[in-house]
Amino acid sequence: MSVRKIEIGCDTPACWAHCSISATTIDAARAHAAERYGWTRRDGSDICAPCERGDTPQARGEA
């Protein structure tokens, strides 16, 4: 068996953002998401770029 695609979801409460990355390891997928889409990793959580910037109601605690 081999891993072909990894899906990463934003860990901000009530955010539904996710991205599917073609990679063989979670570390490689996270690195690609950071480079290509601006995702970050904070305190063990994956955060999408809009939530990281505070551009979403979820990131501001309004949702």
Short mmCIF file of all heavy atoms in Angstrom, two decimals:
data_model
loop_
_atom_site.label_atom_id
_atom_site.label_comp_id
_atom_site.label_asym_id
_atom_site.label_seq_id
_atom_site.Cartn_x
_atom_site.Cartn_y
_atom_site.Cartn_z
N MET A 1 0.84 -1.16 0.00
CA MET A 1 0.00 0.00 0.00
C MET A 1 0.89 1.24 0.00
O MET A 1 1.96 1.25 0.61
CB MET A 1 -0.88 0.02 1.25
CG MET A 1 -1.72 1.24 1.29
SD MET A 1 -2.65 1.68 2.79
CE MET A 1 -2.97 0.24 3.68
N SER A 2 0.46 2.28 -0.67
CA SER A 2 1.20 3.54 -0.67
C SER A 2 0.24 4.70 -0.47
O SER A 2 -0.93 4.62 -0.83
CB SER A 2 1.96 3.72 -1.98
OG SER A 2 1.07 3.79 -3.05
N VAL A 3 0.75 5.76 0.10
CA VAL A 3 -0.03 6.98 0.31
C VAL A 3 0.12 7.83 -0.95
O VAL A 3 1.23 8.06 -1.42
CB VAL A 3 0.49 7.76 1.54
CG1 VAL A 3 -0.22 9.08 1.68
CG2 VAL A 3 0.33 6.92 2.79
N ARG A 4 -0.99 8.28 -1.50
CA ARG A 4 -0.94 9.09 -2.71
C ARG A 4 -1.44 10.51 -2.49
O ARG A 4 -1.02 11.42 -3.16
CB ARG A 4 -1.75 8.43 -3.81
CG ARG A 4 -1.19 7.10 -4.20
CD ARG A 4 -1.93 6.55 -5.41
NE ARG A 4 -1.50 5.21 -5.69
CZ ARG A 4 -0.50 4.91 -6.49
NH1 ARG A 4 0.18 5.86 -7.07
NH2 ARG A 4 -0.17 3.67 -6.71
N LYS A 5 -2.35 10.69 -1.56
CA LYS A 5 -2.91 12.02 -1.34
C LYS A 5 -3.23 12.16 0.15
O LYS A 5 -3.75 11.25 0.77
CB LYS A 5 -4.16 12.22 -2.17
CG LYS A 5 -4.74 13.60 -2.06
CD LYS A 5 -5.78 13.91 -3.11
CE LYS A 5 -7.02 13.11 -2.97
NZ LYS A 5 -8.10 13.55 -3.84
N ILE A 6 -2.90 13.31 0.71
CA ILE A 6 -3.18 13.61 2.10
C ILE A 6 -4.07 14.84 2.14
O ILE A 6 -3.81 15.83 1.44
CB ILE A 6 -1.87 13.87 2.88
CG1 ILE A 6 -1.02 12.59 2.89
CG2 ILE A 6 -2.17 14.36 4.29
CD1 ILE A 6 0.37 12.76 3.46
N GLU A 7 -5.11 14.80 2.94
CA GLU A 7 -6.01 15.94 3.08
C GLU A 7 -5.77 16.57 4.45
O GLU A 7 -5.77 15.90 5.47
CB GLU A 7 -7.46 15.51 2.96
CG GLU A 7 -8.39 16.68 2.90
CD GLU A 7 -9.75 16.31 2.34
OE1 GLU A 7 -9.83 15.51 1.40
OE2 GLU A 7 -10.71 16.84 2.88
N ILE A 8 -5.53 17.88 4.43
CA ILE A 8 -5.30 18.63 5.65
C ILE A 8 -6.48 19.56 5.86
O ILE A 8 -6.88 20.26 4.94
CB ILE A 8 -4.00 19.46 5.57
CG1 ILE A 8 -2.80 18.53 5.34
CG2 ILE A 8 -3.80 20.30 6.83
CD1 ILE A 8 -1.51 19.27 5.09
N GLY A 9 -7.04 19.56 7.06
CA GLY A 9 -8.17 20.43 7.39
C GLY A 9 -7.75 21.47 8.41
O GLY A 9 -6.92 21.22 9.27
N CYS A 10 -8.35 22.64 8.30
CA CYS A 10 -8.05 23.72 9.25
C CYS A 10 -8.62 23.35 10.61
O CYS A 10 -9.75 22.90 10.73
CB CYS A 10 -8.67 25.03 8.76
SG CYS A 10 -8.29 26.44 9.84
N ASP A 11 -7.82 23.54 11.66
CA ASP A 11 -8.23 23.22 13.02
C ASP A 11 -8.89 24.37 13.76
O ASP A 11 -9.21 24.25 14.94
CB ASP A 11 -7.02 22.71 13.82
CG ASP A 11 -6.53 21.36 13.32
OD1 ASP A 11 -7.38 20.51 12.99
OD2 ASP A 11 -5.31 21.16 13.25
N THR A 12 -9.11 25.50 13.07
CA THR A 12 -9.84 26.60 13.69
C THR A 12 -11.28 26.15 13.86
O THR A 12 -11.88 25.65 12.91
CB THR A 12 -9.78 27.86 12.82
OG1 THR A 12 -8.42 28.24 12.63
CG2 THR A 12 -10.55 29.01 13.46
N PRO A 13 -11.86 26.29 15.07
CA PRO A 13 -13.25 25.85 15.27
C PRO A 13 -14.21 26.47 14.25
O PRO A 13 -14.13 27.66 13.97
CB PRO A 13 -13.57 26.33 16.69
CG PRO A 13 -12.25 26.40 17.37
CD PRO A 13 -11.28 26.83 16.29
N ALA A 14 -15.06 25.65 13.67
CA ALA A 14 -16.10 26.04 12.71
C ALA A 14 -15.58 26.39 11.32
O ALA A 14 -16.34 26.81 10.47
CB ALA A 14 -16.97 27.18 13.25
N CYS A 15 -14.28 26.25 11.07
CA CYS A 15 -13.75 26.49 9.72
C CYS A 15 -13.76 25.16 8.96
O CYS A 15 -13.31 24.14 9.47
CB CYS A 15 -12.33 27.04 9.78
SG CYS A 15 -11.65 27.39 8.12
N TRP A 16 -14.23 25.20 7.74
CA TRP A 16 -14.33 23.99 6.92
C TRP A 16 -13.24 23.91 5.86
O TRP A 16 -13.27 23.04 5.00
CB TRP A 16 -15.71 23.93 6.25
CG TRP A 16 -16.78 23.76 7.25
CD1 TRP A 16 -17.53 24.76 7.82
CD2 TRP A 16 -17.24 22.54 7.84
NE1 TRP A 16 -18.42 24.24 8.72
CE2 TRP A 16 -18.26 22.87 8.75
CE3 TRP A 16 -16.88 21.22 7.69
CZ2 TRP A 16 -18.92 21.90 9.50
CZ3 TRP A 16 -17.55 20.27 8.44
CH2 TRP A 16 -18.56 20.61 9.33
N ALA A 17 -12.27 24.81 5.90
CA ALA A 17 -11.21 24.82 4.88
C ALA A 17 -10.40 23.53 4.93
O ALA A 17 -10.11 23.00 6.00
CB ALA A 17 -10.30 26.02 5.07
N HIS A 18 -10.04 23.04 3.75
CA HIS A 18 -9.17 21.87 3.65
C HIS A 18 -8.43 21.91 2.32
O HIS A 18 -8.84 22.61 1.40
CB HIS A 18 -9.96 20.57 3.77
CG HIS A 18 -10.88 20.32 2.63
ND1 HIS A 18 -12.13 20.90 2.55
CD2 HIS A 18 -10.72 19.60 1.50
CE1 HIS A 18 -12.70 20.52 1.41
NE2 HIS A 18 -11.87 19.74 0.76
N CYS A 19 -7.33 21.20 2.25
CA CYS A 19 -6.63 21.07 0.98
C CYS A 19 -6.12 19.64 0.85
O CYS A 19 -5.77 19.00 1.83
CB CYS A 19 -5.50 22.08 0.85
SG CYS A 19 -4.21 21.99 2.09
N SER A 20 -6.16 19.15 -0.37
CA SER A 20 -5.67 17.80 -0.68
C SER A 20 -4.32 17.94 -1.37
O SER A 20 -4.19 18.66 -2.36
CB SER A 20 -6.64 17.08 -1.60
OG SER A 20 -7.88 16.89 -0.95
N ILE A 21 -3.33 17.27 -0.82
CA ILE A 21 -1.96 17.39 -1.30
C ILE A 21 -1.46 16.02 -1.75
O ILE A 21 -1.63 15.04 -1.03
CB ILE A 21 -1.02 17.90 -0.18
CG1 ILE A 21 -1.56 19.19 0.46
CG2 ILE A 21 0.40 18.04 -0.66
CD1 ILE A 21 -1.45 20.41 -0.37
N SER A 22 -0.85 15.97 -2.90
CA SER A 22 -0.19 14.74 -3.35
C SER A 22 1.18 14.68 -2.68
O SER A 22 2.07 15.45 -3.01
CB SER A 22 -0.03 14.71 -4.87
OG SER A 22 -1.30 14.64 -5.47
N ALA A 23 1.31 13.80 -1.70
CA ALA A 23 2.57 13.65 -0.96
C ALA A 23 2.57 12.28 -0.31
O ALA A 23 1.53 11.65 -0.17
CB ALA A 23 2.70 14.74 0.09
N THR A 24 3.74 11.83 0.09
CA THR A 24 3.84 10.51 0.70
C THR A 24 3.94 10.56 2.22
O THR A 24 3.79 9.54 2.88
CB THR A 24 5.06 9.75 0.15
OG1 THR A 24 6.22 10.53 0.35
CG2 THR A 24 4.87 9.45 -1.33
N THR A 25 4.20 11.75 2.79
CA THR A 25 4.24 11.89 4.24
C THR A 25 3.47 13.14 4.66
O THR A 25 3.34 14.09 3.88
CB THR A 25 5.68 12.02 4.78
OG1 THR A 25 6.23 13.27 4.34
CG2 THR A 25 6.56 10.86 4.33
N ILE A 26 2.99 13.14 5.91
CA ILE A 26 2.26 14.30 6.41
C ILE A 26 3.18 15.53 6.48
O ILE A 26 2.75 16.64 6.20
CB ILE A 26 1.59 14.01 7.76
CG1 ILE A 26 0.66 15.16 8.17
CG2 ILE A 26 2.59 13.74 8.85
CD1 ILE A 26 -0.54 15.34 7.31
N ASP A 27 4.45 15.33 6.81
CA ASP A 27 5.38 16.46 6.87
C ASP A 27 5.57 17.09 5.49
O ASP A 27 5.60 18.32 5.37
CB ASP A 27 6.72 16.03 7.44
CG ASP A 27 6.64 15.70 8.93
OD1 ASP A 27 5.73 16.25 9.61
OD2 ASP A 27 7.46 14.90 9.41
N ALA A 28 5.67 16.26 4.46
CA ALA A 28 5.81 16.78 3.10
C ALA A 28 4.53 17.51 2.68
O ALA A 28 4.59 18.56 2.03
CB ALA A 28 6.12 15.65 2.12
N ALA A 29 3.38 16.97 3.06
CA ALA A 29 2.11 17.62 2.73
C ALA A 29 1.99 18.97 3.43
O ALA A 29 1.57 19.96 2.82
CB ALA A 29 0.95 16.72 3.11
N ARG A 30 2.38 19.03 4.69
CA ARG A 30 2.31 20.31 5.42
C ARG A 30 3.27 21.33 4.83
O ARG A 30 2.95 22.52 4.74
CB ARG A 30 2.62 20.07 6.89
CG ARG A 30 1.45 19.46 7.63
CD ARG A 30 1.76 19.27 9.09
NE ARG A 30 0.56 18.85 9.79
CZ ARG A 30 0.53 17.84 10.65
NH1 ARG A 30 1.63 17.15 10.92
NH2 ARG A 30 -0.60 17.52 11.25
N ALA A 31 4.45 20.90 4.43
CA ALA A 31 5.42 21.81 3.82
C ALA A 31 4.87 22.37 2.51
O ALA A 31 4.99 23.57 2.23
CB ALA A 31 6.75 21.11 3.59
N HIS A 32 4.24 21.52 1.71
CA HIS A 32 3.64 21.95 0.44
C HIS A 32 2.49 22.93 0.70
O HIS A 32 2.39 23.96 0.02
CB HIS A 32 3.15 20.74 -0.35
CG HIS A 32 2.58 21.09 -1.67
ND1 HIS A 32 3.36 21.37 -2.77
CD2 HIS A 32 1.29 21.23 -2.08
CE1 HIS A 32 2.58 21.66 -3.80
NE2 HIS A 32 1.32 21.58 -3.39
N ALA A 33 1.65 22.62 1.68
CA ALA A 33 0.52 23.51 2.01
C ALA A 33 1.02 24.87 2.47
O ALA A 33 0.44 25.90 2.14
CB ALA A 33 -0.37 22.87 3.07
N ALA A 34 2.11 24.88 3.22
CA ALA A 34 2.68 26.15 3.69
C ALA A 34 3.25 26.96 2.53
O ALA A 34 2.99 28.17 2.43
CB ALA A 34 3.78 25.87 4.72
N GLU A 35 4.00 26.31 1.65
CA GLU A 35 4.61 27.00 0.51
C GLU A 35 3.57 27.49 -0.49
O GLU A 35 3.62 28.63 -0.95
CB GLU A 35 5.55 26.06 -0.23
CG GLU A 35 6.84 25.79 0.46
CD GLU A 35 7.68 24.76 -0.30
OE1 GLU A 35 7.47 24.60 -1.52
OE2 GLU A 35 8.53 24.13 0.33
N ARG A 36 2.65 26.62 -0.83
CA ARG A 36 1.72 26.91 -1.92
C ARG A 36 0.50 27.71 -1.50
O ARG A 36 0.02 28.57 -2.22
CB ARG A 36 1.29 25.59 -2.55
CG ARG A 36 0.39 25.69 -3.72
CD ARG A 36 1.19 25.63 -5.00
NE ARG A 36 0.37 25.95 -6.13
CZ ARG A 36 0.12 25.13 -7.13
NH1 ARG A 36 0.65 23.95 -7.14
NH2 ARG A 36 -0.61 25.52 -8.13
N TYR A 37 -0.03 27.41 -0.30
CA TYR A 37 -1.30 27.99 0.11
C TYR A 37 -1.24 28.85 1.37
O TYR A 37 -2.25 29.38 1.80
CB TYR A 37 -2.34 26.88 0.32
CG TYR A 37 -2.49 26.00 -0.89
CD1 TYR A 37 -2.08 24.68 -0.86
CD2 TYR A 37 -3.03 26.48 -2.07
CE1 TYR A 37 -2.21 23.86 -1.96
CE2 TYR A 37 -3.16 25.68 -3.19
CZ TYR A 37 -2.75 24.36 -3.12
OH TYR A 37 -2.87 23.56 -4.22
N GLY A 38 -0.06 28.97 1.99
CA GLY A 38 0.08 29.84 3.14
C GLY A 38 -0.40 29.26 4.46
O GLY A 38 -0.60 29.99 5.43
N TRP A 39 -0.60 27.95 4.51
CA TRP A 39 -1.03 27.32 5.77
C TRP A 39 0.12 27.38 6.78
O TRP A 39 1.29 27.40 6.43
CB TRP A 39 -1.42 25.86 5.53
CG TRP A 39 -2.76 25.70 4.88
CD1 TRP A 39 -3.14 26.21 3.68
CD2 TRP A 39 -3.88 24.98 5.39
NE1 TRP A 39 -4.43 25.85 3.40
CE2 TRP A 39 -4.91 25.09 4.43
CE3 TRP A 39 -4.11 24.25 6.54
CZ2 TRP A 39 -6.16 24.50 4.62
CZ3 TRP A 39 -5.35 23.67 6.71
CH2 TRP A 39 -6.36 23.80 5.75
N THR A 40 -0.24 27.39 8.06
CA THR A 40 0.76 27.39 9.12
C THR A 40 0.44 26.28 10.13
O THR A 40 -0.65 25.72 10.13
CB THR A 40 0.80 28.74 9.87
OG1 THR A 40 -0.50 28.99 10.40
CG2 THR A 40 1.22 29.86 8.97
N ARG A 41 1.40 26.02 10.97
CA ARG A 41 1.23 25.03 12.04
C ARG A 41 1.51 25.75 13.34
O ARG A 41 2.56 26.36 13.52
CB ARG A 41 2.23 23.89 11.82
CG ARG A 41 2.10 22.79 12.78
CD ARG A 41 1.74 21.52 12.02
NE ARG A 41 1.76 20.39 12.93
CZ ARG A 41 0.65 19.84 13.39
NH1 ARG A 41 -0.51 20.27 12.98
NH2 ARG A 41 0.71 18.84 14.22
N ARG A 42 0.53 25.76 14.25
CA ARG A 42 0.68 26.46 15.52
C ARG A 42 0.15 25.60 16.66
O ARG A 42 -1.00 25.16 16.62
CB ARG A 42 -0.10 27.77 15.47
CG ARG A 42 0.07 28.63 16.67
CD ARG A 42 -0.67 29.97 16.62
NE ARG A 42 -1.26 30.28 15.35
CZ ARG A 42 -2.55 30.62 15.20
NH1 ARG A 42 -3.36 30.68 16.23
NH2 ARG A 42 -3.03 30.90 14.01
N ASP A 43 0.96 25.36 17.65
CA ASP A 43 0.57 24.57 18.83
C ASP A 43 -0.04 23.23 18.45
O ASP A 43 -1.05 22.81 19.02
CB ASP A 43 -0.41 25.36 19.71
CG ASP A 43 0.18 26.66 20.23
OD1 ASP A 43 1.40 26.69 20.49
OD2 ASP A 43 -0.57 27.64 20.38
N GLY A 44 0.52 22.58 17.43
CA GLY A 44 0.04 21.27 17.01
C GLY A 44 -1.20 21.30 16.13
O GLY A 44 -1.77 20.26 15.83
N SER A 45 -1.63 22.48 15.70
CA SER A 45 -2.82 22.62 14.86
C SER A 45 -2.45 23.13 13.48
O SER A 45 -1.52 23.93 13.33
CB SER A 45 -3.81 23.61 15.49
OG SER A 45 -4.26 23.14 16.73
N ASP A 46 -3.19 22.69 12.47
CA ASP A 46 -3.02 23.20 11.10
C ASP A 46 -4.01 24.34 10.91
O ASP A 46 -5.21 24.18 11.19
CB ASP A 46 -3.31 22.09 10.08
CG ASP A 46 -2.28 20.98 10.16
OD1 ASP A 46 -1.08 21.29 10.00
OD2 ASP A 46 -2.65 19.82 10.40
N ILE A 47 -3.53 25.49 10.45
CA ILE A 47 -4.36 26.68 10.31
C ILE A 47 -4.29 27.18 8.87
O ILE A 47 -3.20 27.39 8.34
CB ILE A 47 -3.88 27.81 11.25
CG1 ILE A 47 -3.69 27.31 12.69
CG2 ILE A 47 -4.82 29.01 11.19
CD1 ILE A 47 -4.95 26.84 13.38
N CYS A 48 -5.46 27.38 8.23
CA CYS A 48 -5.48 27.87 6.85
C CYS A 48 -5.05 29.34 6.82
O CYS A 48 -5.11 30.04 7.84
CB CYS A 48 -6.85 27.68 6.22
SG CYS A 48 -8.16 28.74 6.85
N ALA A 49 -4.64 29.80 5.66
CA ALA A 49 -4.13 31.16 5.52
C ALA A 49 -5.15 32.23 5.93
O ALA A 49 -4.81 33.16 6.66
CB ALA A 49 -3.63 31.40 4.10
N PRO A 50 -6.43 32.15 5.49
CA PRO A 50 -7.40 33.18 5.91
C PRO A 50 -7.59 33.22 7.43
O PRO A 50 -7.67 34.30 8.01
CB PRO A 50 -8.69 32.78 5.20
CG PRO A 50 -8.23 32.02 4.00
CD PRO A 50 -7.01 31.27 4.47
N CYS A 51 -7.62 32.06 8.08
CA CYS A 51 -7.76 32.06 9.54
C CYS A 51 -6.51 32.60 10.20
O CYS A 51 -6.58 33.31 11.21
CB CYS A 51 -8.08 30.66 10.05
SG CYS A 51 -9.80 30.13 9.77
N GLU A 52 -5.35 32.28 9.66
CA GLU A 52 -4.08 32.78 10.21
C GLU A 52 -4.04 34.30 10.17
O GLU A 52 -3.57 34.96 11.09
CB GLU A 52 -2.89 32.19 9.45
CG GLU A 52 -1.54 32.68 9.90
CD GLU A 52 -1.19 32.28 11.33
OE1 GLU A 52 -1.70 31.26 11.83
OE2 GLU A 52 -0.41 33.02 11.95
N ARG A 53 -4.56 34.88 9.10
CA ARG A 53 -4.58 36.34 8.95
C ARG A 53 -5.72 36.99 9.74
O ARG A 53 -5.78 38.21 9.86
CB ARG A 53 -4.73 36.71 7.48
CG ARG A 53 -3.54 36.38 6.62
CD ARG A 53 -3.66 36.96 5.23
NE ARG A 53 -4.88 36.58 4.55
CZ ARG A 53 -5.02 35.57 3.68
NH1 ARG A 53 -3.97 34.84 3.38
NH2 ARG A 53 -6.17 35.31 3.12
N GLY A 54 -6.66 36.19 10.25
CA GLY A 54 -7.81 36.74 10.98
C GLY A 54 -8.88 37.26 10.04
O GLY A 54 -9.71 38.08 10.43
N ASP A 55 -8.88 36.77 8.78
CA ASP A 55 -9.83 37.24 7.77
C ASP A 55 -11.17 36.51 7.81
O ASP A 55 -12.03 36.79 6.99
CB ASP A 55 -9.24 37.07 6.36
CG ASP A 55 -8.07 38.02 6.12
OD1 ASP A 55 -7.90 38.98 6.88
OD2 ASP A 55 -7.33 37.77 5.15
N THR A 56 -11.35 35.56 8.70
CA THR A 56 -12.59 34.79 8.72
C THR A 56 -13.34 35.00 10.02
O THR A 56 -12.73 35.28 11.07
CB THR A 56 -12.30 33.28 8.58
OG1 THR A 56 -11.52 32.85 9.70
CG2 THR A 56 -11.55 32.96 7.29
N PRO A 57 -14.66 34.88 10.00
CA PRO A 57 -15.43 35.00 11.24
C PRO A 57 -15.00 33.94 12.27
O PRO A 57 -14.99 34.19 13.46
CB PRO A 57 -16.88 34.76 10.80
CG PRO A 57 -16.91 35.03 9.34
CD PRO A 57 -15.54 34.71 8.85
N GLN A 58 -14.61 32.74 11.76
CA GLN A 58 -14.17 31.69 12.66
C GLN A 58 -12.93 32.10 13.44
O GLN A 58 -12.84 31.87 14.64
CB GLN A 58 -13.89 30.40 11.87
CG GLN A 58 -15.08 29.78 11.22
CD GLN A 58 -15.39 30.36 9.85
OE1 GLN A 58 -14.84 31.36 9.43
NE2 GLN A 58 -16.32 29.74 9.15
N ALA A 59 -11.99 32.71 12.75
CA ALA A 59 -10.74 33.13 13.40
C ALA A 59 -10.98 34.26 14.41
O ALA A 59 -10.29 34.35 15.41
CB ALA A 59 -9.72 33.58 12.35
N ARG A 60 -12.00 35.07 14.13
CA ARG A 60 -12.32 36.17 15.05
C ARG A 60 -13.27 35.73 16.17
O ARG A 60 -13.62 36.52 17.02
CB ARG A 60 -12.93 37.32 14.26
CG ARG A 60 -11.97 37.98 13.30
CD ARG A 60 -12.54 39.23 12.67
NE ARG A 60 -13.75 38.99 11.91
CZ ARG A 60 -13.80 38.73 10.59
NH1 ARG A 60 -12.67 38.67 9.91
NH2 ARG A 60 -14.94 38.53 9.98
N GLY A 61 -13.71 34.46 16.14
CA GLY A 61 -14.63 33.95 17.16
C GLY A 61 -16.07 34.39 16.95
O GLY A 61 -16.87 34.36 17.89
N GLU A 62 -16.42 34.77 15.72
CA GLU A 62 -17.77 35.26 15.43
C GLU A 62 -18.68 34.18 14.88
O GLU A 62 -19.86 34.40 14.68
CB GLU A 62 -17.70 36.40 14.40
CG GLU A 62 -16.90 37.59 14.90
CD GLU A 62 -16.62 38.59 13.81
OE1 GLU A 62 -17.01 38.38 12.65
OE2 GLU A 62 -15.99 39.63 14.12
N ALA A 63 -18.13 33.00 14.60
CA ALA A 63 -18.96 31.93 14.00
C ALA A 63 -19.24 30.84 15.00
O ALA A 63 -18.57 30.63 15.94
CB ALA A 63 -18.25 31.33 12.79
#
